[in-house]
Amino acid sequence: MIVCSCNILSDGDVKGCMKPGPDCPRSPAQVYRCLGCSPNCGRCARTIRDIMDKALADAGAAPVAACQRGCCPASLEKVAAEPHL
């Protein structure tokens, strides 16, 4: 299944980058670099994160913690959805 239409990346491509250990990508941006491309619109970041977490869980590794700095698309969506006074 294509998960990134900008770079034509499939779920299989993302899973292929996931190798538990110190060289394992920790963010969708690192997955892009692993695959030799870069994010464009960012709409696929959440899907890539879900694939990353599932691939690591299937391999028996702990999921990678999500970005807490507010710089990643999923974090920005969360902030945008919160009501502002």
Side-chain angles (χ1 to χ4, degrees):
M1 163 179 75
I2 298 294
V3 296
C4 174
S5 57
C6 296
N7 291 295
I8 316 302
L9 301 178
S10 71
D11 56 335
D13 295 330
V14 175
K15 291 174 190 173
C17 286
M18 304 311 297
K19 300 174 204 113
D23 294 333
C24 183
R26 300 283 180 207
S27 69
Q30 289 175 343
V31 169
Y32 285 112
R33 273 183 258 147
C34 173
L35 295 170
C37 57
S38 60
N40 288 327
C41 72
R43 285 183 282 171
C44 57
R46 182 178 292 170
T47 302
I48 290 174
R49 168 62 68 193
D50 291 342
I51 293 168
M52 292 171 64
D53 291 346
K54 183 169 181 353
L56 290 173
D58 290 348
V64 178
C67 176
Q68 299 297 315
R69 295 179 300 184
C71 58
C72 299
S75 298
L76 294 173
E77 287 174 11
K78 181 181 173 188
V79 169
E82 294 174 355
H84 297 282
L85 299 174

